[in-house]
Amino acid sequence: MSLDDGWPRAVWREHGDPLLAPTGCGPLDGLRVAVKDLFAVGGYRIGAGNPRWLAEAPVEPVDAQAVWALRAAGAAIAGIAQTDELAFSLSGANVHYGTPPNPAAPDRVPGGSTSGPASAVAAGQADVGLGTDTAGSIRVPASVCGLYGLRPTHGTVGAGGVLGLAPSFDTVGWLTADPGLLRAVGNVLLPPPAGAPRPAARLFVAGPLPAAAVGTLTDALGADVRTGGVHELGDIPGLVAAFRVVQAAEAWRLHGAWITAHPRALGADVEERFRFGAGVDAGAERVARRQIAAGRARLLDRLGADTWLVLPAAGGPGHLRGSGARDRDAWRQATLGCTVVASAYGLPSCVLPTPRTQGGPVGLALVGPPGADRGLLDAVVAAAAAAS
């Protein structure tokens, strides 16, 4: 893809050749990282996808934990890549900087909020996209840009130096165009393994997915397959509603004072999501948290330690770049229905590409029990090898 005038600004807030060199050498030697503009990068400000925020932000003295680890392992920082404002969106559109291109489906959005890193990786301008996933912000751009992505078990990867949105759900993750590289980054960022990763003995396929992709995965893993979903996933709309209450309440506690002091600094749709959180009272939040906790306990009891879910990673290809509000919201709600189980329950989820649909890519998401991160990465590598 050519670098027209809109491409660098929509993708990169800062860019260099490289922007920052590695600080060590190791398994990531020679690789370039696009860092989502929520991470501290020493010597630069966190912009959070908003020019007012950027103007008031202090210069960060040191790298965020994940940035430091990648540089120490030999990776260079290619640049600081754009994000949806304060990471509170799934489309990848930004009213201030534009919508990054989606090289896999040029007429569609790249997905957000890790939109800039996904766009850079899909275009070959970076090898690794470092981002965050609260409601799907790694998995959705990976899905609609035809990439691999991992949302680790909540709290597994250190989030020091990362601007938060909803701490109960915020998770550091990454995406790549190559499954082996996805695993290599995991070997750097994930804690040392306590033993050999536990593979899946059973797969529950819950959602419409290409039969060929599921078959390849099944053959690669040697797992039993059940289709038709899992009973505990039945009330997905209720889970989405509970997740929205807790996410928005936490987001308002983090950023409500700034939003109040800066009226109309955010795009209207993003500000609306934040202001919903201002109206959440303590009782409603407690009820939502209890609902999430009960659902998590039921699901984990049903699945056990060696059963994984197989779900669509998004509610279809990215929506068209010129979609109206109704179509954007419908796509968002359908996508949340796919991502909310891992998001609300703090579970690891790994996305791998499937054969392209007519509108654009839609990935397949594996969701495992807590701590299954390395097993998921191994499974994706095996599935990719079986498909090649």
Side-chain angles (χ1 to χ4, degrees), residues 215-370:
T216 298
L217 180 65
T218 303
D219 292 343
L221 301 185
D224 294 331
V225 177
R226 288 182 56 184
T227 60
V230 181
H231 174 72
E232 287 77 4
L233 297 185
D235 188 19
I236 291 297
L239 180 59
V240 170
F243 175 82
R244 182 189 182 212
V245 165
V246 178
Q247 179 193 32
E250 292 191 355
W252 186 257
R253 280 196 288 273
L254 276 184
H255 301 309
W258 187 88
I259 293 166
T260 300
H262 298 80
R264 296 177 298 281
L266 296 174
D269 57 340
V270 176
E271 182 161 350
E272 182 180 1
R273 291 186 198 112
F274 275 106
R275 292 199 176 276
F276 172 78
V280 173
D281 63 39
E285 186 177 351
R286 283 195 298 270
V287 169
R289 287 187 184 276
R290 286 198 295 268
Q291 181 179 342
I292 291 170
R296 184 180 192 272
R298 286 195 302 271
L299 181 65
L300 294 184
D301 180 66
R302 179 69 177 88
L303 295 183
D306 56 2
T307 301
W308 298 349
L309 299 174
V310 186
L311 304 165
H319 65 73
L320 294 170
R321 294 172 72 89
S323 293
R326 179 177 298 180
D327 289 341
R328 293 197 306 269
D329 187 62
W331 179 83
R332 176 182 173 83
Q333 292 307 310
T335 294
L336 286 171
C338 299
T339 62
V340 71
V341 170
S343 294
Y345 298 157
L347 305 179
S349 181
C350 202
V351 173
L352 62 157
T354 65
R356 180 188 177 93
T357 67
Q358 183 175 2
V362 181
L364 177 154
L366 289 170
V367 180

Side-chain angles (χ1 to χ4, degrees), residues 123-221:
Q125 293 193 343
D127 304 297
V128 179
L130 180 66
T132 60
D133 187 310
T134 303
S137 293
I138 286 287
R139 291 164 287 158
V140 174
S143 178
V144 304
C145 291
L147 302 173
Y148 296 86
L150 178 72
R151 172 199 167 94
T153 302
H154 183 260
T156 298
V157 178
V162 182
L163 183 69
L165 176 65
S168 291
F169 312 118
D170 294 343
T171 309
V172 173
W174 57 95
L175 42 80
T176 67
D178 176 81
L181 179 52
L182 193 78
R183 183 169 61 181
V185 174
N187 289 337
V188 171
L189 294 182
L190 292 170
R198 187 168 184 170
R202 288 174 298 278
L203 299 176
F204 279 119
V205 180
L209 290 164
V214 174
T216 298
L217 180 65
T218 303
D219 292 343
L221 301 185

